[in-house]
Amino acid sequence: MSKSDKLLLVFANAVKAGGGIHSAAELAFMLGEPYTPAFTKFLADRVKKGQLRRVAKGLYESVLTPPEPETAIYKIIKKLRSDELSYISLESQLSHTGEISQVMMDRVTVVTKGRSGTFATPYGVIEFTHTKRPVEQLVANLYFDPDIKMYRANTEQALTDLKYCQRNLHMLEHE
């Protein structure tokens, strides 16, 4: 079996297990290959040939067996900030709970203990906003959403985050 075929098999098995978004280092590990510039070039060649799609810097999905579109962006979020507490908040969460009437279609707003940053992906824009507040102040106001396998802020925390980040408060339905 060729290395390309093994790569596609790895992705197909990952999607069956609920995954489907992988870093270059993870792919090298799963294939039993060293993570080298040559392996990175191999992945770039697979992208050029249309077998893989780069969804964010260093993150890939199979074109033949992509992850579920409804949850793919959340998988990317978790991969981009895997070492830090990150949770859905701000406008995305307030839209989810109905506190604002605007529906966030192409953007997910995330509060993180990691670095701020914005990432354009095929599934929408991910906007990370850093918080300096200690984790102990945050965890009581977070809940785990099993549908996206991520934490979300409760409404009170999302409003606090919106004010803390000095975001637009004019869109709130109930003030």
Side-chain angles (χ1 to χ4, degrees):
M1 182 181 285
S2 73
K3 187 164 36 169
S4 294
D5 290 340
K6 287 180 191 173
L7 179 66
L8 295 176
L9 183 61
V10 161
F11 271 108
N13 289 335
V15 168
K16 286 181 201 167
I21 304 289
H22 296 289
S23 70
E26 289 170 336
L27 292 169
F29 175 79
M30 289 188 282
L31 289 172
E33 297 278 332
Y35 179 50
T36 62
F39 186 78
T40 304
K41 183 179 180 328
F42 165 72
L43 293 178
D45 291 344
R46 299 302 101 206
V47 170
K48 284 180 189 166
K49 291 195 184 229
Q51 293 176 318
L52 297 184
R53 179 162 70 164
R54 185 176 167 264
V55 295
K57 184 177 180 177
L59 298 179
Y60 301 88
E61 72 178 2
S62 167
V63 174
L64 298 175
T65 55
E68 292 291 323
E70 299 81 27
T71 58
I73 197 162
Y74 302 106
K75 291 174 180 160
I76 297 168
I77 291 167
K78 290 186 289 187
K79 293 287 183 177
L80 289 171
R81 292 291 184 273
S82 61
D83 296 340
E84 304 288 346
L85 172 68
S86 297
Y87 59 93
I88 308 300
S89 187
L90 304 165
E91 294 88 354
S92 290
Q93 182 61 12
L94 294 170
S95 174
H96 178 75
T97 61
E99 293 298 315
I100 59 175
S101 58
Q102 292 85 348
V103 176
M104 301 291 288
M105 297 293 287
D106 62 344
R107 178 172 293 259
V108 178
T109 52
V110 181
V111 172
T112 183
K113 290 296 291 174
R115 289 193 334 210
S116 293
T118 303
F119 297 84
T121 77
Y123 299 99
V125 175
I126 301 167
E127 181 184 348
F128 288 103
T129 301
H130 174 77
T131 182
K132 292 180 181 177
R133 287 176 293 161
V135 172
E136 298 77 32
Q137 285 183 7
L138 301 170
V139 293
N141 295 321
L142 304 181
Y143 67 94
F144 187 75
D145 182 341
D147 293 333
I148 63 170
K149 294 180 178 54
M150 273 195 75
Y151 285 96
R152 290 184 177 274
N154 64 22
T155 301
E156 181 183 335
Q157 184 64 49
L159 289 168
T160 300
D161 289 339
L162 199 68
K163 292 171 187 166
Y164 181 80
C165 296
Q166 300 176 339
R167 305 280 276 238
N168 183 358
L169 300 173
H170 301 294
M171 63 183 97
L172 293 174
E173 295 288 312
H174 322 288
E175 288 211 47

